[in-house]
Amino acid sequence: MFQLPNCPAHDLMAAEGWSIVHSYTRLRVDLDTTEFPEPAQPPLGVRLRVAADDQDRRAVHSVLEDALAGHWNHRRRTFAEFDRAQRQRGSYDAALWWLAEVDGVCAGAVIARDPSERAWIAWLGVLDAYRGRGIGTQLLLTVFRLLRDRGHHSVGVDVDTHNSAGALSVYRAAGMSERGTADQWRKIYAHQPF
């Protein structure tokens, strides 16, 4: 269950044995008012490209699985499981799956969604060895432009507030600002019902 911090139900939930196990921060960028550098200039040796076929989508999956390994509550999935889950979303669009390559090696990936009600960053990951080079920011700026060209006015994302890879700073560097935080609560029962 998710609740906003300091909401009226906070004390009641704590009294009933619920406890906060994690928190997520929601960020948003206004595509109409944010100035993005035109065109995006990836760092030297970095090539950004759409994941054009099944082999590329497998590379996106591999990068994301490796980049997110060890993060809170991440559960590895096979490509078939991951791909099936993505395709079941009403906003699946393979043209919004992007790869970043460094000297021909897949180093980062992003998946965006663009349902009519709001555009969203579903996944973003950069492998440890390639972090700190602006790759995540460039991937975001690329999909922001695509989403703006499709008529979207804003893009949102929910991020693990305690992410150890500095994800919040990557989203901020791409022009996103925080809109709020939600706590994830869990109740552990001493005796599980049959």
Side-chain angles (χ1 to χ4, degrees), residues 41-169:
Q41 294 297 320
L44 191 60
V46 177
R47 176 179 172 235
L48 305 180
R49 64 182 183 84
V50 70
D53 56 26
D54 190 60
Q55 182 178 341
D56 285 347
R57 287 186 287 282
R58 287 177 181 277
V60 167
H61 167 259
S62 178
V63 166
L64 292 173
E65 285 293 339
D66 290 347
L68 300 173
H71 288 280
W72 190 82
N73 213 26
H74 178 70
R75 178 186 64 84
R76 279 195 175 271
R77 291 185 279 181
T78 65
F79 173 72
E81 292 171 315
F82 182 80
D83 190 54
R84 184 172 42 254
Q86 301 312 303
R87 289 176 186 274
Q88 289 173 347
R89 307 285 297 208
S91 55
Y92 173 84
D93 185 345
L96 295 173
W97 289 44
W98 280 72
L99 280 166
E101 297 175 335
V102 176
D103 299 323
V105 176
C106 294
V110 65
I111 297 175
R113 297 196 176 107
D114 76 337
S116 58
E117 66 276 9
R118 67 176 174 183
W120 204 254
I121 301 299
W123 300 91
L124 173 68
V126 176
L127 297 177
D128 286 345
Y130 300 99
R131 290 183 182 151
R133 300 184 190 189
I135 293 170
T137 300
Q138 289 301 318
L139 284 165
L140 289 170
L141 293 175
T142 298
V143 296
F144 289 171
R145 282 187 196 84
L146 288 170
L147 293 165
R148 182 179 59 197
D149 291 347
R150 291 180 177 201
H152 288 281
H153 301 285
S154 67
V155 179
V157 68
D158 286 334
V159 181
D160 176 354
T161 303
H162 310 289
N163 177 287
S164 61
L168 283 171
S169 64

